[in-house]
């Protein structure tokens, strides 16, 4: 997801003889894959083997996801409470859960120390989840395997704490996780009901781990829409005469407005939503202006579209970790409490009653984190980072207030898109009437209209692939996982003493596999809320964080165009 628009948009133009679609494909797909893919040149043989296994399992997961209808209609189903799962899926589901958790834990062995504690909690929680299949925890081989695996996991984390990564660490962790998950399940003669309960607990644990990367994956659609909009405007403006291009921009802008307004009018409380969207735009614009003024004290300049190339990754992960972190604590600690205190899974402990308010707390934490990141970035004149972090705060606060039932702000991405497209149309009309509609402004206008359409894209189109698969959001997430792996692996390609290269790669592969498994289970399993969590996480990325990011970029682009700055020139 890391981009450098200053280098890209400021570079030399392609020859006019190259067709527009081919030039856009080259810039949006080929160039970004070449610059952002995982670099396997210096991988060790062991790491290459892990990569091959992860790739094969990912392809199998995607294939099974696409064949969900055939699987559920052609096999017997296990029905436990509200959960229905195909019987042939249960044994391999335990295997893939063990492998996915192994990759994540192996990647966290050499991560910063708080993440290593997360690895221990995740591993012990997975063993506690499997303990529901063991009838007698006081004796027997399955109980000994659970205890031995838990001890070995803790000892492995402590042993490798200060040592450099080695190629045999992933197989070692995988063997420990197989001992603690697969051993008790296969050796204990438990009822099918208990196996389904244990599997559902494991899947929920994977779902909490997948929360942040799922939000980032759903945001990948927004990232793709942004790069496509900028490149189409940039390349099309250089291939068409200025008079024809200005006409195309005006007609295309009118078409965007005409398509968005009927959609907006069909929504309940349309006028209230319009006012709320306009208020969000004003507040976000004010915060971006404050960030710009603070940054000017350190380094004079203007925030343009080029500054947003690498700014959004951290903020999106911050939101994802805030949402998933609290859920992980509850889901991961609950099986441990149930194991040691002998509570039934249905009777939740007193400290977990706050779970219903978890979302409000998560949005509040994310808003506070964005405020801290935005203030520090503005003080250090890190343009783009400051504007996005501060501009995201109103969206998070509004979502927290709506979740808590305090206010009912009826804003939608579609309503926000109507506001931005209408303002763009008014600005273009003023430029035309005052004869200031230059080629540069025509290109900026084209990008502004396409950004407005991109804001409403998830709200208008929804997720047709997810609807076919039976799990809303699954299509967006599948696309986002592939897009981020192919174009956003810059962090995984890095290296540092605190976070070595092998650990980064293992964590990247493990999280990608966890997200794909989350999508698979959400489509194959019915009931239990697995599909609901996938829908929520994908919506957070595509219809909450995504519109906020596109709005901040839209504000930077229109302010630069109004000031007469070239939006294609490199900053500074």
């Amino acid at each position: 997801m890391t981009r450098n628009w200053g280098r890209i948009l400021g570079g030399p133009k392609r020859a006019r003889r190259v067709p527009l679609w081919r030039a856009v494909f080259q810039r949006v797909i080929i160039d970004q894959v070449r610059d952002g893919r995982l670099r396997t040149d210096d991988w060790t043989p062991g790491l290459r083997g892990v990569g091959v296994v992860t790739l094969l399992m990912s392809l199998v997961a995607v294939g099974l996801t696409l064949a969900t209808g055939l699987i559920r209609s052609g096999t017997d189903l296990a029905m436990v409470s509200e959960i229905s799962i195909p019987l042939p899926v249960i044994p391999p589901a335990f295997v893939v859960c063990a492998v996915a958790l192994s990759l994540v834990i192996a990647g966290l062995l050499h991560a910063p120390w708080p993440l290593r504690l997360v690895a221990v909690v995740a591993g012990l929680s997975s063993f506690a989840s499997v303990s529901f299949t063991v009838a007698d925890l006081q004796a027997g081989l399955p109980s000994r395997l659970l205890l031995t695996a838990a001890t070995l996991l803790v000892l492995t984390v402590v042993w490798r704490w200060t040592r450099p990564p080695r190629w045999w660490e992933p197989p070692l962790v995988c063997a420990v996780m197989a001992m603690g998950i697969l051993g008790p399940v296969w050796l204990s003669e438990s009822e099918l009901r208990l196996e389904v309960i244990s599997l559902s607990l494991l899947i929920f644990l994977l779902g909490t781990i997948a929360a942040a990367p799922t939000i980032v994956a759903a945001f990948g659609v927004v990232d793709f829409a942004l790069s496509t909009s900028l490149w189409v405007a940039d390349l099309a403006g250089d291939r068409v005469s200025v008079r024809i291009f200005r006409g195309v921009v005006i007609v295309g802008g009118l078409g965007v407005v005409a398509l968005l307004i009927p959609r907006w009018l069909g929504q309940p409380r349309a006028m209230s939503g319009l006012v709320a969207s306009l208020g969000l735009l004003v507040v976000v614009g004010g915060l971006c202006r404050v960030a710009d003024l603070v940054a000017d004290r350190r380094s004079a300049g203007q925030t343009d579209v080029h500054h947003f190339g690498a700014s959004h990754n951290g903020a999106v992960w911050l939101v994802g970790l805030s949402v998933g972190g609290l859920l992980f604590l509850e889901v991961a600690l609950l099986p441990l409490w149930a194991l040691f205190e002998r509570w039934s899974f249905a009777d939740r402990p007193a400290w977990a009653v706050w779970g219903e308010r978890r979302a409000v707390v998560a949005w509040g934490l994310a808003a506070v984190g964005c405020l801290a990141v935005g203030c520090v970035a503005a003080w250090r004149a890190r343009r783009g980072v400051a504007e996005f972090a501060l501009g995201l705060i109103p969206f998070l606060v509004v979502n927290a207030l709506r979740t808590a039932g305090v206010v009912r702000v009826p804003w939608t991405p579609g309503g926000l898109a109507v506001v931005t497209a209408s303002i763009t149309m008014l600005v273009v009309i003023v430029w035309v009437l005052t004869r200031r509609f230059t080629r540069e402004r025509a290109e900026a206008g084209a990008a502004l209209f396409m950004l407005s359409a991109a804001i409403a894209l998830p709200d208008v189109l929804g997720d047709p692939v997810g609807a076919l698969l039976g799990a809303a959001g699954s299509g967006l997430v599948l696309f986002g996982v592939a897009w981020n792996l192919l174009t956003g692996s810059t962090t995984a390609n890095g290296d540092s003493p605190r976070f070595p290269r092998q650990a980064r790669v293992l964590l990247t592969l493990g999280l990608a596999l966890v997200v794909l498994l989350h999508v698979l289970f959400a489509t194959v399993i019915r009931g239990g809320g697995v599909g609901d969590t996938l829908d929520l996480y994908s919506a957070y990325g595509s219809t909450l964080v995504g519109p906020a990011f596109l709005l901040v970029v839209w504000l930077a682009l229109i302010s630069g165009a109004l000031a007469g700055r070239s939006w294609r020139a490199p900053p500074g």
Side-chain angles (χ1 to χ4, degrees):
M1 294 170 61
T2 302
R3 307 285 181 264
N4 188 348
W5 295 115
R7 178 181 64 82
I8 296 175
L9 294 180
K13 296 289 187 142
R14 277 194 170 272
R16 293 175 181 266
R17 64 177 179 273
V18 178
L20 178 61
W21 68 268
R22 184 179 298 176
V24 172
F25 183 81
Q26 175 70 31
R27 296 296 191 179
V28 175
I29 306 295
I30 303 299
D31 290 352
Q32 296 197 58
V33 170
R34 184 183 62 243
D35 295 338
R37 63 178 177 83
L38 276 173
R39 305 293 177 184
T40 61
D41 303 335
D42 55 348
W43 283 13
T44 62
L47 195 56
R48 290 179 185 274
V50 172
V52 171
V53 172
T54 305
L55 177 61
L56 293 177
M57 294 191 68
S58 300
L59 293 176
V60 171
V62 173
L64 292 177
T65 301
L66 298 178
T68 296
L70 297 176
I71 294 175
R72 289 190 60 86
S73 62
T75 59
D76 296 329
L77 300 178
M79 305 291 294
V80 176
S81 185
E82 299 178 353
I83 302 174
S84 67
I85 178 173
L87 285 174
V89 171
I90 296 178
F94 280 105
V95 177
V96 295
C97 286
V99 174
L101 285 171
S102 301
L103 287 177
V104 174
I105 293 174
L108 295 177
L109 283 180
H110 302 281
W113 70 266
L115 296 180
R116 305 185 195 192
L117 299 181
V118 171
V120 174
V121 173
L124 295 180
S125 178
S126 65
F127 299 154
S129 301
V130 172
S131 68
F132 283 91
T133 62
V134 181
D136 185 5
L137 289 175
Q138 304 299 324
L141 181 58
S143 60
R144 295 194 190 99
L145 287 177
L146 278 173
L147 181 60
T148 303
T151 305
L152 288 176
L153 178 64
V154 175
L155 291 178
T156 300
V157 174
V158 174
W159 174 39
R160 305 305 302 168
W161 194 279
T162 59
R163 289 172 172 80
R166 292 289 183 264
W167 66 268
W168 42 262
E169 289 176 350
L172 174 63
V173 175
C174 189
V176 173
M177 297 302 295
M179 178 189 300
I181 294 178
L182 303 182
V185 172
W186 290 347
L187 294 178
S188 60
E189 298 179 358
S190 58
E191 302 176 9
L192 178 62
R193 178 181 63 87
L194 297 178
E195 290 189 8
V196 174
I197 291 176
S198 295
L199 180 60
S200 65
L201 288 176
L202 272 179
I203 291 173
F204 271 111
L205 179 63
L206 281 179
T208 60
I209 297 174
T214 300
I215 293 174
V216 175
F219 183 84
V221 179
V222 176
D223 184 60
F224 177 79
L226 171 63
S227 60
T228 303
S229 301
L230 294 179
W231 274 119
V232 168
D234 181 43
L235 296 171
D238 196 49
R239 283 166 168 72
V240 184
S241 66
V242 62
R243 181 173 300 180
I244 296 177
F245 186 68
R246 286 185 295 194
V248 171
V249 171
I250 295 174
V251 174
L254 290 173
V256 170
V257 175
L259 288 175
L260 292 177
I261 288 181
R263 173 78 180 186
W264 161 65
L265 290 175
Q267 296 177 350
R269 303 175 63 186
M271 291 306 300
S272 299
L274 182 66
V275 174
S277 299
L278 186 59
L280 273 176
L281 187 147
V282 172
V283 173
V284 172
L287 291 173
C288 291
R289 181 57 181 162
V290 170
D292 217 13
L293 293 175
V294 173
D296 285 341
R297 297 173 61 90
R298 178 65 62 90
S299 175
Q302 297 292 332
T303 301
D304 289 310
V305 64
H306 324 91
H307 294 95
F308 294 93
S311 67
H312 53 276
N313 209 354
V316 179
W317 274 102
L318 177 62
V319 174
L321 292 174
S322 300
V323 173
L326 296 176
L327 184 61
F328 172 78
L329 288 178
E330 182 181 0
V331 173
L333 294 179
L334 186 55
L336 294 174
W337 279 105
L339 173 63
F340 292 113
E341 300 293 337
R342 294 301 186 184
W343 288 329
S344 68
F345 182 70
D347 300 327
R348 303 202 306 173
W351 59 265
V353 175
W354 72 281
E356 286 76 9
R357 304 176 184 176
R358 172 196 323 117
V360 179
V361 178
W363 297 131
L365 289 176
V368 172
C370 287
L371 178 63
V373 171
C375 291
V376 173
W379 183 255
R380 295 181 178 179
R382 295 185 60 189
R383 301 182 183 275
V385 179
E387 282 80 3
F388 179 39
L390 294 179
L392 189 54
I393 294 175
F395 290 85
L396 298 173
V397 172
V398 167
N399 216 49
L401 295 177
R402 290 173 64 177
T403 305
V406 177
V407 296
R408 296 184 179 275
V409 182
W411 89 273
T412 60
L416 184 61
V418 169
V419 173
T420 56
S422 301
I423 293 176
T424 303
M425 194 73 249
L426 291 176
V427 170
V428 169
I429 292 174
V430 171
W431 282 339
V432 172
L433 294 178
T434 57
R435 296 185 177 181
R436 292 184 296 167
F437 198 35
T438 61
R439 179 186 293 274
E440 287 285 344
R441 283 178 169 160
E443 293 178 357
L448 289 169
F449 281 124
M450 284 186 284
L451 287 178
S452 300
I455 291 175
L457 193 61
D459 195 30
V460 173
L461 295 182
D463 185 10
V465 176
L468 292 175
L469 297 177
S474 56
L476 296 177
V477 175
L478 288 177
F479 173 83
V481 170
W483 178 253
N484 291 337
L485 279 178
L486 291 174
T487 65
S489 299
T490 304
T491 302
N493 292 328
D495 194 6
S496 68
R498 294 188 60 193
F499 204 175
R501 173 78 177 280
Q502 175 175 309
R504 297 177 184 227
V505 173
L506 289 174
L507 188 58
T508 299
L509 296 177
L511 290 178
L513 182 58
V514 165
V515 173
L516 293 177
L517 293 179
H518 189 209
V519 175
L520 172 62
F521 293 140
T523 56
V524 172
I525 300 175
R526 296 290 186 269
V530 180
D532 296 337
T533 58
L534 178 66
D535 185 18
L536 283 176
Y537 298 156
S538 63
Y540 293 157
S542 61
T543 62
L544 177 67
V545 184
F549 177 66
L550 292 175
L551 177 61
V552 173
V553 177
W554 182 89
L555 287 169
L557 185 57
I558 196 170
S559 62
L562 290 172
R565 296 194 301 270
S566 175
W567 70 288
R568 293 187 300 181

